[in-house]
Amino acid sequence: MKKRVLGTSGIEVSVLGMGCWQYGGGSYWGEQSQKDVDEVVHKALDLGVNYFDTAEVYNDGASELALGISLKGRRAQAIIGSKISTSNTQPSVLRAHCEASLKRLQTDYIDLYMLHWPISPLSVKHFTQDAALIANPPQLQEVFETLQSLQKEGKIRHIGISNHGVQQMKEVQDAGVKVVANEMAYNLLSRAIEESVLPYCIQNEIGVIGYMPLLQGLLTDKVTSLDELRPLQARSRHFHHSRGEGTRHGEEGAEAEIQQALQEIRLLAHTIGTPIITLALAWAISNEAISTTIVGSRNVKQLELNIQGASYELSQATIQRLNEITEPVLQRLGSNPDYYESRLNSRIY
């Protein structure tokens, strides 16, 4: 398993990381047995996967709890990344929530502790209905001062961010904070970060953790039609606003462009004799500006299929062809990396 250094942290993370959102089971992804989690985590470690990505909000803490159980006896082999919800960043609350994550994970330290979304009323609104907190979110300076205190105490090794645009990264840096990673959506049909976020991260030595590389199942052989997607998995701007459950963006989507791209990707996959899932993962991993690409594996069989994507070497001609195929989707959706709000009401800027 290849590894890349995560920003300036000195930590080497596997190019394929483990997305742990489904751990613990929940309404979004459905049931997930601890037995399967244990088997997947141990097999992943055996195969060289060392980065495990979770968050306090994933299944109301059950993801962290399940990951902690599965890492018993092998904690030292794992790099754990977790995230604090924007609504929980008042100093005393943030500290209490970090302590709760440590307890669920059964560890003394979290390797990478990330602010899940930027500090803004719109981001806070995503996590709470507290009107006063939405109107007056915590100050960015005090949030990162608390994170730096936790770092000095050894409870977190490195500070990271998630879903931050260029201007927001500048604001963090202006506050005197050195972050080692920014976690952003990145896949064949979600390429918005290529325009400015990736170049900025490269210039400022900020590692990038790519999430949603299979667009929640769309870039697999399992889905042959957009109509097969569950409403919860069709809430992003990729799709017409009427398709998703709890959709907020109100836009028309890029369904025609996506359907055409999927048809051409399937043809390319068939021509070179490689599964779509392998192409999709290998394409994301081939971008050396991405430190690690996280993907969920519900069982060992799925893990082994995902591992193929990490070891498959795409030719430059194939990479270029995939870029050409998906360019119309990129042009339709634009350079706004927030795929769940309208581009005029984005949490990322």
Side-chain angles (χ1 to χ4, degrees), residues 235-309:
R235 297 176 297 137
S236 66
R237 284 191 296 112
H238 299 81
F239 313 106
H240 191 277
H241 61 82
S242 64
R243 188 182 291 278
E245 179 181 326
T247 301
R248 302 188 299 272
H249 60 78
E251 295 190 6
E252 300 297 308
E255 295 191 3
E257 291 83 356
I258 287 172
Q259 288 174 329
Q260 179 64 34
L262 289 174
Q263 182 177 336
E264 294 183 38
I265 292 170
R266 286 191 190 97
L267 178 60
L268 178 62
H270 178 74
T271 300
I272 63 179
T274 303
I276 292 175
I277 186 172
T278 302
L279 283 185
L281 288 173
W283 176 88
I285 290 169
S286 71
N287 190 330
E288 294 191 358
I290 307 296
S291 302
T292 182
T293 295
I294 59 173
V295 63
S297 299
R298 297 185 70 89
N299 51 54
V300 169
K301 184 177 180 181
Q302 285 187 8
L303 171 65
E304 291 174 341
L305 183 59
N306 292 337
I307 290 288
Q308 291 178 24

Side-chain angles (χ1 to χ4, degrees), residues 14-164:
S14 50
V15 293
L16 184 75
M18 183 65 65
C20 304
W21 187 353
Q22 74 274 21
Y23 289 8
S27 59
Y28 196 88
W29 292 115
E31 292 300 313
Q32 176 70 62
S33 74
Q34 185 64 45
K35 177 178 178 293
D36 282 340
V37 172
D38 293 344
E39 289 178 355
V40 165
V41 167
H42 285 276
K43 186 67 173 180
L45 288 169
D46 291 342
L47 293 173
V49 174
N50 72 346
Y51 180 68
F52 296 83
D53 189 275
T54 184
E56 65 170 9
V57 74
Y58 294 165
N59 305 321
D60 296 322
S63 170
E64 290 180 325
L65 187 62
L67 179 60
I69 292 170
S70 67
L71 283 175
K72 280 184 178 179
R74 302 188 71 174
R75 169 66 182 95
Q77 296 175 251
I79 306 298
I80 297 177
S82 193
K83 297 178 281 290
I84 180 76
S85 299
T86 315
S87 58
N88 297 325
T89 51
Q90 309 97 310
S92 61
V93 177
L94 194 162
R95 177 172 288 277
H97 278 249
C98 180
E99 296 279 5
S101 287
L102 287 166
K103 185 176 181 180
R104 286 190 292 267
L105 288 163
Q106 300 186 49
T107 183
D108 296 327
Y109 65 95
I110 296 172
D111 299 280
L112 176 65
Y113 199 49
M114 295 168 277
L115 177 61
H116 207 151
W117 286 89
I119 301 294
S120 72
L122 187 58
S123 293
V124 173
K125 186 179 180 180
H126 181 69
F127 292 99
T128 183
Q129 295 180 338
D130 185 332
L133 185 60
I134 293 169
N136 298 286
Q139 296 297 307
L140 183 145
Q141 187 74 46
E142 66 178 353
V143 171
F144 282 96
E145 284 177 358
T146 305
L147 289 171
Q148 288 172 319
S149 294
L150 290 166
Q151 185 179 35
K152 288 177 183 177
E153 294 166 20
K155 293 175 180 176
I156 59 178
R157 291 179 65 193
H158 299 283
I159 299 170
I161 51 180
S162 179
N163 300 302
H164 280 55

Side-chain angles (χ1 to χ4, degrees), residues 156-177:
I156 59 178
R157 291 179 65 193
H158 299 283
I159 299 170
I161 51 180
S162 179
N163 300 302
H164 280 55
V166 170
Q167 186 58 39
Q168 291 158 328
M169 285 189 281
K170 288 180 179 178
E171 291 169 359
V172 171
Q173 289 179 311
D174 288 345
V177 181

